[in-house]
């Protein structure tokens, strides 16, 4: 789909459908909806009166213009109560509208800027949300389906009508980069594990580097041994697929300093290892590299947006499988920073590979670290699928991450990091063990990671409950969600020194 900017009168546009909006509780149409109502001889007013149009969030009403307007259809999209409008609601409404129109076989659509000026929402913010909503909401993952579906249309053009074409184009461009980055991460996460192996992940990184001009380095087993990456090597030793350690670099200012280091868990399939998982739902563990995908996609977006800041992404990538060579419960391994770990559960593998990646980040001079990982089922239990868990040793950095999340609609909730939780990780035979007791599992996972960042400002995002969904809603489509790609991009943009 191409999203275009235009100025002028929405009602004069000849296309398959124009989109106008209505707020819940309003008795009469306003703005573009009022103009359309007039052209339609009061049809919208009538439908409001009858109660067909209520303006509820994500409500969609289709009216055929039957020659009264150049556009064949008018869609009235509900935006909910005016005083509750947010950019996230705009994002969702546009996504639902676009999906609806695609289902109707609509090939071209146009809309004014939805919601600008309401509740201090700036025009640029509204346009960005609309662009993201359209591209995120229309996302599909169909590359393994050989049959062409007849009733699966494509909206080829979506025109946003505003006042200044130049500004509009710029904002659409930014929204496009953010949404495409999230969709790129979705593609990687949706890809099954027989296609997305550590090797293909590394190839994807090389491809991104070549396309967008990023620095790339991929470490293989020999180098991992040299560096003492016992966590990554340990987890990978049960698998036929060799591990990879992916390093992507974006340089936006002339310095060797790395301002932000992003670390993403890259388990391309988590069977649990010898502590094998139950079979039900195990297929979702193809997405246990969602953290890795999200940091890779973030770097691709940064290379296009070009902020003046230096960012590195690190992705330890491996499968976690049981076999005769697999790590066994009770094994002791040693991470890159020299700390020894008693592996009491081979399914708590994410923290083992992250131990090495965080050590590597520190060794290469990280000033601030954000790690993203589908780390614990416990985080999903604690927070549901509504928000990701945030953990930190630096409140100021966490505040920035959570604020960026609010901006993008990717919600986060901070969980405590009290010293007392660390006691659960005491081992009798090594420096630390990789699991705690039954309680507070998301926090003990984070406390484990903290051992490998020491005092470097750090935020850990546990996306176990948010990386994947079986329900389509607003701009979130079934399967991978692309969380928290847009948050990471906005965070980095906000961290650029003015
Ligand atoms: N990848 C899983 C966590 C996960 C579970 C992510 C469900 C997404 C959805 C992780 O490697 C894992 O298995 N964690 C264990 C830790 C436990 C053994 C301490 C878990 O959560 O059960
Ligand atoms: Zn696991
Ligand atoms: Zn895992």
């Amino acid at each position: 789909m191409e999203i275009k900017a235009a100025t002028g009168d929405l009602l004069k546009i000849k296309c398959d459908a124009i989109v106008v909006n209505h707020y819940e509780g309003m008795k009469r149409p306003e703005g573009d909806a009022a103009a359309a109502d007039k052209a339609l001889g009061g049809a919208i007013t009538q439908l409001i009166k009858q109660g067909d149009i209520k303006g509820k969030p994500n409500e969609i009403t289709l009216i055929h213009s039957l020659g009264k307007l150049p556009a064949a259809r008018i869609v009235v999209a509900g935006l909910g109560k005016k005083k509750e409008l947010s950019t996230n609601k705009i994002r969702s409404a546009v996504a639902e509208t676009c999906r609806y129109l695609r289902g109707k076989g609509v090939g071209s659509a146009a809309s004014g800027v939805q919601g600008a000026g309401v509740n201090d929402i700036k025009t640029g913010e509204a346009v960005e949300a609309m662009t993201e909503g359209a591209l995120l909401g229309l996302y599909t993952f169909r590359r393994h389906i050989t049959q062409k579906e007849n009733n699966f249309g494509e909206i080829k053009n979506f025109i946003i009508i505003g006042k200044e074409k130049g500004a509009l184009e710029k904002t659409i461009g930014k929204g496009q980069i953010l949404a495409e980055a999230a969709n790129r991460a979705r593609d990687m996460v949706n890809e099954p594990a027989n296609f997305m192996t550590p090797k293909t992940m590394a190839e994807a990184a090389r491809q991104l580097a070549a396309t967008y001009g990023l620095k790339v380095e991929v470490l293989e087993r020999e180098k991992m041994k040299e560096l003492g990456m016992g966590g990554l090597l340990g987890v990978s030793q049960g698998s036929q697929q060799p591990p990879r350690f992916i390093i992507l670099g974006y340089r936006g200012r002339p310095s060797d300093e790395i301002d932000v280091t992003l670390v993403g868990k890259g388990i391309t399939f988590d069977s649990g290892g010898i502590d094998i998982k139950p079979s039900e739902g195990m297929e979702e563990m193809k997405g246990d590299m969602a953290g890795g995908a999200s940091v890779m996609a973030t770097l691709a977006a940064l290379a296009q947006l070009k902020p003046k800041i230096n960012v590195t992404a690190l992705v330890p990538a491996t499968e976690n499988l049981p076999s005769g060579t697999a790590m066994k419960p009770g094994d002791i391994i040693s991470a890159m920073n020299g700390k020894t770990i008693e592996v009491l559960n081979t399914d708590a593998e994410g923290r083992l590979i992250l131990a090495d990646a965080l050590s590597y980040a520190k060794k290469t001079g990280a000033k601030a670290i954000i790690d993203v990982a589908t780390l614990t089922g416990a985080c999903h239990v604690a927070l549901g699928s509504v928000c990701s868990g945030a953990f930190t040793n630096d409140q100021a950095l966490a505040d920035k991450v959570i604020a960026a999340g609010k901006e993008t609609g990717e919600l986060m909730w901070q969980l405590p990091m009290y010293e007392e939780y660390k006691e659960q990780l005491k081992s009798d035979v090594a420096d630390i063990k990789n699991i705690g007791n039954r309680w507070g599992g998301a926090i003990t996972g984070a406390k484990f990671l903290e051992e490998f960042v020491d005092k470097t400002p750090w935020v850990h995002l546990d996306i176990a409950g948010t990386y994947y969904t079986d329900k389509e809603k607003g701009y979130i489509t079934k399967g991978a969600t692309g969380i928290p790609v847009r948050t990471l991009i906005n965070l980095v943009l906000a961290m650029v020194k003015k």
Side-chain angles (χ1 to χ4, degrees), residues 35-359:
D37 184 53
K38 206 168 159 204
L40 294 169
I44 298 178
T45 306
Q46 178 75 28
L47 290 168
I48 294 170
K49 246 189 218 151
Q50 279 172 211
D52 291 270
I53 296 178
K54 293 191 174 69
K56 291 217 179 274
N58 301 340
E59 169 196 274
I60 291 159
T61 311
L62 178 72
I63 304 169
H64 294 278
S65 72
L66 304 174
K68 288 181 185 137
L69 279 169
R73 304 166 184 85
I74 293 91
V75 170
V76 186
L79 285 181
K81 294 197 178 88
K82 202 171 197 171
K83 61 173 188 300
E84 288 170 12
L85 188 73
S86 60
T87 48
N88 209 41
K89 293 222 167 99
I90 299 171
R91 203 176 280 119
S92 276
V94 172
E96 295 274 357
T97 307
C98 283
R99 262 204 308 276
Y100 174 83
L101 292 175
R102 177 176 63 191
K104 291 274 170 211
V106 161
S108 61
S111 170
V113 179
Q114 307 280 346
V118 180
N119 303 335
D120 288 333
I121 297 170
K122 299 193 179 64
T123 304
E125 291 167 347
V127 172
E128 196 180 317
M130 286 179 72
T131 307
E132 290 176 4
L135 294 169
L136 293 169
L138 290 172
Y139 172 85
T140 56
F141 183 73
R142 302 176 57 78
R143 58 170 295 234
H144 297 288
I145 301 173
T146 58
Q147 252 172 339
K148 249 202 146 135
E149 213 176 297
N150 290 333
N151 55 1
F152 214 89
E154 188 199 340
I155 306 179
K156 291 209 169 68
N157 290 306
F158 184 56
I159 306 169
I160 302 178
I161 315 264
K163 289 203 182 83
E164 296 162 60
K165 196 164 173 209
L168 216 63
E169 271 167 354
K170 216 173 142 206
T171 323
I172 290 172
K174 186 188 167 204
Q176 223 157 356
I177 291 170
L178 269 87
E180 276 163 10
N183 285 346
R184 182 189 300 284
R186 286 173 169 185
D187 270 344
M188 289 177 71
V189 173
N190 284 329
E191 203 62 82
N194 60 329
F195 282 83
M196 190 51 61
T197 62
K199 196 168 150 211
T200 40
M201 245 185 129
E203 277 159 12
R206 285 215 166 91
Q207 186 88 46
L208 290 181
T211 309
Y212 299 109
L214 294 163
K215 297 212 301 188
V216 64
E217 201 186 338
V218 177
L219 312 185
E220 300 193 6
R221 238 185 206 127
E222 275 314 301
K223 188 73 190 169
M224 292 170 200
K225 281 186 192 153
E226 209 178 286
L227 291 169
M229 293 183 161
L232 181 52
L233 287 166
V235 174
S236 75
Q237 77 190 35
S239 162
Q240 297 281 330
Q241 297 286 343
R244 294 285 186 269
F245 189 88
I246 302 162
I247 306 156
L248 270 177
Y250 165 72
R251 296 294 171 264
R253 67 184 185 95
S255 162
D256 287 336
E257 271 182 333
I258 305 165
D259 303 303
V260 187
T261 304
L262 304 174
V263 177
K265 173 176 173 181
I267 296 289
T268 58
F269 191 77
D270 183 11
S271 71
I274 295 294
D275 287 299
I276 197 159
K277 288 179 180 294
S279 59
E280 198 187 320
M282 205 205 268
E283 69 281 354
E284 273 182 29
M285 285 299 112
K286 70 177 183 179
D288 209 21
M289 33 57 76
S294 75
V295 302
M296 283 171 59
T298 297
L299 257 71
L302 293 176
Q304 296 169 75
L305 293 164
K306 301 189 173 52
K308 290 189 171 45
I309 189 166
N310 292 343
V311 184
T312 289
L314 305 174
V315 184
T318 175
E319 297 183 328
N320 183 25
L321 291 179
S323 78
T325 59
M327 223 167 30
K328 298 162 289 291
D331 282 2
I332 296 175
I333 58 170
S334 150
M336 187 180 154
N337 70 349
K339 278 195 188 170
T340 57
I341 306 164
E342 182 186 12
V343 180
L344 283 180
N345 191 317
T346 61
D347 198 10
E349 83 299 337
R351 59 198 74 182
L352 302 177
I353 65 168
L354 290 171
D356 285 335
L358 295 169
S359 304

